[in-house]
Amino acid sequence: SSSTTKGETIRDSESLTLRRVYDFAQEVDVNDVTFLMDGAEINKQAAETSFANEYGHKLGRLLHSSTLQQTPQLQQLFGDTIFTKIVSYTCGACDARRSGAMVPVMSNSGSGNQGISCSVPGYLYAKENNCTREQTLRALALSNLTVIYIKQSLGRLSALCGCVVAATGSAAGITLLMGGQYQEITYAIKNMIANISGMICDGAKPGCALKV
């Protein structure tokens, strides 16, 4: 069935479900989604720009391995792990963007921060664990589409921080890379929703890096 409102056509049969998102990520010809890998690399490069400069709250740079190695107190607090690396790069890309650095990023649902948050974590996790190109692309497809799936229920503007939605997409993608299947992915999403869904958006600014 379909309905038309102000020139927009909505077809019920085309609405996303998480099952459809998961099935697509598992079945798509990965050669058709290689742009997702390119986008993740672009977003990673945005973070690397922030490590060499002082942007925003410098959160990404603070947690970067080069800083941690020079500051034993920080390394003791945060450790130098894949988790810290993921946080550093994701926050770093946000630091650069929010401070006006001339760096491109690939967005999701119209948001650069969401594009960063749903691509960089899974991309870095895959790199660190020597995942194949196909595994990485399927995880990125799942992550990006999970964000779109959640966003379709929120409307164009929401008081909910978009980083929450994007991080939930990343959780789904990383769960897939860890060997999880549909049921485990639903558990990961529920855990994310339970933990961080109360984060509100108070406008785009350098503080976004703290939420990312």
Side-chain angles (χ1 to χ4, degrees):
S1 62
S2 64
S3 61
T4 304
T5 305
K6 294 182 179 180
E8 295 182 357
T9 300
I10 303 170
R11 294 181 176 84
D12 296 338
S13 61
E14 293 180 0
S15 64
L16 282 179
T17 64
L18 185 63
R19 183 80 227 192
R20 292 183 70 180
V21 166
Y22 174 80
D23 289 343
F24 177 86
Q26 293 285 53
E27 298 166 4
V28 66
D29 183 342
V30 291
N31 292 318
D32 292 337
V33 292
T34 54
F35 68 93
L36 294 175
M37 189 86 81
D38 297 335
E41 180 61 36
I42 287 171
N43 292 346
K44 176 175 173 284
Q45 289 172 6
E48 289 167 349
T49 299
S50 76
F51 301 149
N53 298 278
E54 297 192 359
Y55 290 119
H57 295 312
K58 298 177 284 187
L59 185 60
R61 180 174 174 175
L62 178 71
L63 296 176
H64 190 246
S65 59
S66 60
T67 306
L68 293 175
Q69 289 165 8
Q70 297 171 17
T71 317
Q73 297 94 330
L74 282 177
Q75 189 158 10
Q76 185 179 16
L77 277 171
F78 296 107
D80 191 1
T81 66
I82 176 56
F83 177 75
T84 314
K85 184 174 183 178
I86 286 172
V87 173
S88 170
Y89 273 79
T90 310
C91 295
C94 182
D95 282 330
R97 288 192 70 244
R98 293 274 66 87
S99 298
M102 296 298 290
V103 292
V105 298
M106 178 174 164
S107 65
N108 182 295
S109 303
S111 165
N113 281 347
Q114 288 176 201
I116 291 165
S117 297
C118 77
S119 64
V120 171
Y123 180 71
L124 291 177
Y125 181 89
K127 285 276 190 183
E128 289 289 315
N129 289 276
N130 299 313
C131 296
T132 66
R133 172 177 175 273
E134 178 176 348
Q135 289 172 323
T136 305
L137 283 167
R138 293 198 185 284
L140 287 171
L142 176 63
S143 179
N144 277 274
L145 281 174
T146 297
V147 177
I148 294 169
Y149 160 67
I150 297 172
K151 286 286 288 186
Q152 73 177 354
S153 300
L154 296 177
R156 294 184 179 177
L157 188 63
S158 170
L160 175 68
C161 173
C163 299
V164 172
V165 180
T168 303
S170 273
I174 291 174
T175 301
L176 184 66
L177 290 170
M178 288 179 166
Q181 297 181 341
Y182 180 74
Q183 188 175 45
E184 289 76 25
I185 288 164
T186 66
Y187 293 160
I189 291 172
K190 288 176 181 177
N191 283 343
M192 293 293 286
I193 297 294
N195 276 280
I196 59 175
S197 59
M199 196 182 298
I200 62 169
C201 175
D202 63 341
K205 58 174 69 70
C208 288
L210 296 167
K211 297 178 183 180
V212 167

